[in-house]
Amino acid sequence: MTRSQILKQIIKHLPEKRFSILIGGRQVGKTTVVKQVKEHLLTVKQKAFFISFENPEILNAINLHPENVFKFSIHPSTLQKKERLYLIIDEVQYAANPSNFLKYLYDTYEDKVKVIATGSSAFYINKDFKDSLAGRKKIFELYSLNFEEFLHFKQCDELIDDLVLMRKSHKNQPLNKHLLYNLFNEYLNYGGYPAVVLQKNEEDKKELLQELINSYMRKDVLESNLKDELKFFQLTQLLASQTGSLVNTNSLGLALKLSSGAIDNYLYLLQKCFHIHLLKPKHSNVLKEITKMPKVYFNDLGLRNILIKQFGHIDNRTDKGEVIENYAYTRLREIYQQNDIHFWRTADGNEVDFIVDKTLNSGTAYELKYNDVNYKPSKYKKFMSAYNTYPIKVVSMVRENENTIELIRF
């Protein structure tokens, strides 16, 4: 979901009693979105206040008692009968007990106070809020920029129209095809963190991506009280080098000399901090031999690439297959519900990259290839026999077959 879509959804949700919680990784632009919500509220003459829990003075007061939040806004008691107070709270997870803080405000002032909050990590949101805020919140998720948003940030809005037309038909050819493809290659290399996209040269982009690892990912580690920071980063690098592969906790534990339990804990943190996604397999009663292990993808390709120090034109990369498959996952996530996306793999190695459920027992399967000449239909007989209501579509970077979907048009 794009920023404009999330902004519209949050604005649409403002009249509801439930609090609006915007979650996502660090530096993806959550603060910008909620500040835009505040601007909207002020435009329509509502009482809205922006409060950041990164401010130590504010945080100390909040931790003493939730009522102290009104030291930094007006108090609900001053509102007229039909008026409502909107509190835009940034980095709510820094509160000593964010769940109790929000629960107190909801239960005490549900008709008078609406909170729109951000949290840098779903790790805190999900664990602390699961029970005490049930029925009191709606979660919105924000990721780094998708390719269309990337083009907007690069001030290439005219290319967005070309991209939209290209996605409608493989016959549509953009006037600025060379520029569009060069920008797509840049996106595959450096990803969609807004600050990275705005850097003018490649070295500055790499430096900022490294800073995301050195500072912000380390912050996730420190705040989650992990004991072995080095092992955590080694695991993250291993996963980056195995993008699109099955995640075997036993093998990873042996490689890093960690227990399977420790690996599971690290994987949980990486998911909840929005660095990776573990894609679950499609299960079938017909195929009992199907694997139960998930596959790993990174939520941002720039972060993935800096972890393994691999950059360059996609045509020349040794990991081109992993890159295009990871991009395809993030693109599918834009189009479909995340819970509807799976993969298929059997114990004897039969595999289809992605399966999307569109109805109860039907959908579409997607197979990713760098060059579509490498697609051999005979390899997928077992899948097509078991899932004949899931036609396979081939997606490739280099397209020679007219039935193939070119990756940039996907």
Side-chain angles (χ1 to χ4, degrees):
M1 193 180 299
T2 65
R3 277 143 185 74
S4 61
Q5 290 170 329
I6 284 181
L7 178 60
K8 288 177 182 177
Q9 285 204 8
I10 294 176
I11 289 173
K12 185 179 179 181
H13 190 248
L14 289 175
E16 291 196 28
K17 288 185 177 181
R18 286 185 299 161
F19 290 173
S20 305
I21 313 293
L22 179 61
I23 61 175
R26 302 182 193 274
Q27 300 297 300
V28 296
K30 299 182 303 300
T31 302
T32 300
V33 172
V34 294
K35 283 185 174 180
Q36 290 172 330
V37 174
K38 180 192 173 186
E39 289 173 9
H40 164 80
L41 287 165
L42 294 177
T43 300
V44 294
K45 309 300 182 184
Q46 298 296 315
K47 292 179 168 57
F49 294 83
F50 179 86
I51 302 169
S52 175
F53 281 11
E54 286 192 304
N55 184 319
E57 179 187 355
I58 294 174
L59 189 60
N60 288 336
I62 296 302
N63 287 337
L64 289 174
H65 198 284
E67 282 285 340
N68 288 334
V69 72
F70 302 119
K71 291 182 177 179
F72 310 97
S73 71
I74 61 173
H75 195 277
S77 61
T78 65
L79 297 172
Q80 299 299 315
K81 187 174 182 180
K82 293 185 178 181
E83 284 186 322
R84 203 177 186 200
L85 171 62
Y86 293 88
L87 298 180
I88 292 91
I89 299 175
D90 201 27
E91 306 289 10
V92 69
Q93 82 279 352
Y94 286 137
N97 195 324
S99 178
N100 283 354
F101 167 75
L102 292 175
K103 183 177 182 296
Y104 175 88
L105 292 183
Y106 186 94
D107 292 347
T108 308
Y109 301 103
E110 62 175 307
D111 294 321
K112 285 293 186 179
V113 175
K114 169 72 178 248
V115 172
I116 302 95
T118 73
S120 286
S121 167
F123 176 81
Y124 304 97
I125 300 292
N126 284 354
K127 276 203 165 185
D128 290 347
F129 295 4
K130 185 186 296 182
D131 297 320
S132 62
L133 282 182
R136 298 177 175 92
K137 72 182 187 302
K138 181 173 181 178
I139 297 289
F140 300 85
E141 294 185 15
L142 186 67
Y143 294 95
S144 60
L145 305 175
N146 66 16
F147 186 47
E148 287 184 48
E149 292 176 308
F150 168 90
L151 292 173
H152 175 67
F153 269 60
K154 300 288 286 188
Q155 298 183 335
C156 295
D157 287 3
E158 72 282 359
L159 294 180
I160 297 175
D161 295 333
D162 286 340
L163 182 65
V164 171
L165 287 173
M166 287 173 66
R167 285 174 173 169
K168 288 181 178 178
S169 171
H170 68 264
K171 295 179 181 179
N172 291 322
Q173 294 297 327
L175 294 174
N176 298 300
K177 181 176 179 179
H178 183 69
L179 175 59
L180 183 59
Y181 279 66
N182 280 344
L183 287 168
F184 186 53
N185 184 72
E186 181 182 330
Y187 182 75
L188 293 178
N189 268 289
Y190 301 107
Y193 280 101
V196 175
V197 172
L198 294 174
Q199 296 302 308
K200 298 299 182 183
N201 63 68
E202 294 181 354
E203 289 308 310
D204 288 342
K205 291 178 187 295
K206 291 176 184 176
E207 184 177 325
L208 193 50
L209 283 169
Q210 190 62 52
E211 180 65 17
L212 285 169
I213 293 173
N214 294 343
S215 297
Y216 297 109
M217 190 180 285
R218 178 164 282 115
K219 205 170 185 180
D220 290 331
V221 173
L222 294 173
E223 290 178 2
S224 59
N225 297 315
L226 284 186
K227 295 180 180 179
D228 198 328
E229 182 181 327
L230 178 60
K231 296 287 187 183
F232 175 80
F233 284 105
Q234 288 175 338
L235 172 64
T236 311
Q237 288 177 312
L238 266 178
L239 295 172
S241 68
Q242 298 174 8
T243 303
S245 298
L246 297 177
V247 176
N248 186 321
T249 55
N250 290 328
S251 296
L252 291 169
L254 287 173
L256 296 173
K257 297 181 180 178
L258 289 170
S259 68
S260 294
I263 296 292
D264 285 336
N265 189 34
Y266 290 2
L267 291 173
Y268 179 81
L269 175 62
L270 283 167
Q271 289 178 87
K272 296 306 180 183
C273 291
F274 287 85
H275 299 311
I276 67 168
H277 179 75
L278 297 183
L279 188 67
K280 295 179 181 179
K282 177 80 173 175
H283 288 285
S284 169
N285 292 330
V286 177
L287 294 166
K288 294 181 181 179
E289 75 277 20
I290 196 162
T291 181
K292 294 181 180 180
M293 289 182 285
K295 293 202 299 185
V296 62
Y297 295 101
F298 277 74
N299 286 321
D300 184 85
L301 272 168
L303 185 68
R304 181 260 176 190
N305 292 334
I306 196 67
L307 282 163
I308 57 174
K309 301 293 190 293
Q310 285 210 47
F311 296 93
H313 196 282
I314 188 65
D315 295 342
N316 303 321
R317 292 183 62 153
T318 57
D319 62 342
K320 58 174 70 76
E322 290 91 335
V323 171
I324 65 172
E325 188 176 328
N326 202 129
Y327 170 78
Y329 162 70
T330 60
R331 177 69 181 136
L332 284 170
R333 186 181 63 198
E334 291 176 44
I335 305 170
Y336 303 106
Q337 294 294 319
Q338 193 159 270
N339 290 337
D340 292 333
I341 307 170
H342 304 277
F343 72 96
W344 181 83
R345 180 165 176 165
T346 61
D348 56 3
N350 288 277
E351 182 175 10
V352 174
D353 291 326
F354 300 105
I355 300 173
V356 177
D357 294 315
K358 295 180 180 178
T359 61
L360 181 59
N361 292 306
S362 66
T364 304
Y366 295 93
E367 183 64 13
L368 273 292
K369 299 293 182 186
Y370 171 73
N371 191 319
D372 62 1
V373 299
N374 295 319
Y375 175 71
K376 309 297 180 186
S378 59
K379 291 179 59 178
Y380 303 91
K381 288 182 179 179
K382 193 170 185 178
F383 172 80
M384 289 185 286
S385 174
Y387 292 95
N388 56 16
T389 55
Y390 290 79
I392 298 176
K393 293 186 178 182
V394 182
V395 181
S396 71
M397 189 75 189
V398 179
R399 174 183 171 273
E400 297 188 21
N401 187 314
E402 65 176 13
N403 295 320
T404 297
I405 304 170
E406 189 181 7
L407 186 66
I408 196 172
R409 300 172 185 267
F410 181 42

